[in-house]
Amino acid sequence: MKVPVQAVTVWGKIAPSHSITAIMITDDQQTIITGSQEGQICLWDLSSELKISSKEILFGHTASVTCLAKARE
């Protein structure tokens, strides 16, 4: 059984820069994924009221993220 984990984003008074270079939405239209010039990938929750809230930010790429694609099962 999978246990849901609450994502927590921690930064100071200013969020890290995120110049979007790629964007994708999941098939269920509940998550937006963005890639950035700074090499980050961000996941965003999209509510049915079209409100967007940050979910996770992934670091590690050493170059711009210029393309996003979903993996096949």
Side-chain angles (χ1 to χ4, degrees):
M1 180 174 140
K2 289 187 178 181
V3 177
V5 176
Q6 180 68 33
V8 176
T9 305
V10 180
W11 50 67
K13 293 182 180 182
I14 301 172
S17 60
H18 188 73
S19 305
I20 294 173
T21 52
I23 190 165
M24 185 177 98
I25 190 164
T26 56
D27 290 337
D28 63 7
Q29 299 181 349
Q30 294 182 356
T31 304
I32 297 172
I33 301 100
T34 57
S36 75
Q37 186 175 356
E38 296 79 20
Q40 305 156 353
I41 296 175
C42 290
L43 284 75
W44 309 86
D45 280 329
L46 180 59
S47 73
S48 57
E49 297 84 31
L50 300 179
K51 291 184 181 182
I52 299 171
S53 58
S54 62
K55 184 175 179 180
E56 294 180 57
I57 187 167
L58 309 172
F59 296 92
H61 289 85
T62 56
S64 296
V65 176
T66 58
C67 183
L68 296 167
K70 62 181 179 177
R72 294 184 181 188
E73 292 184 23

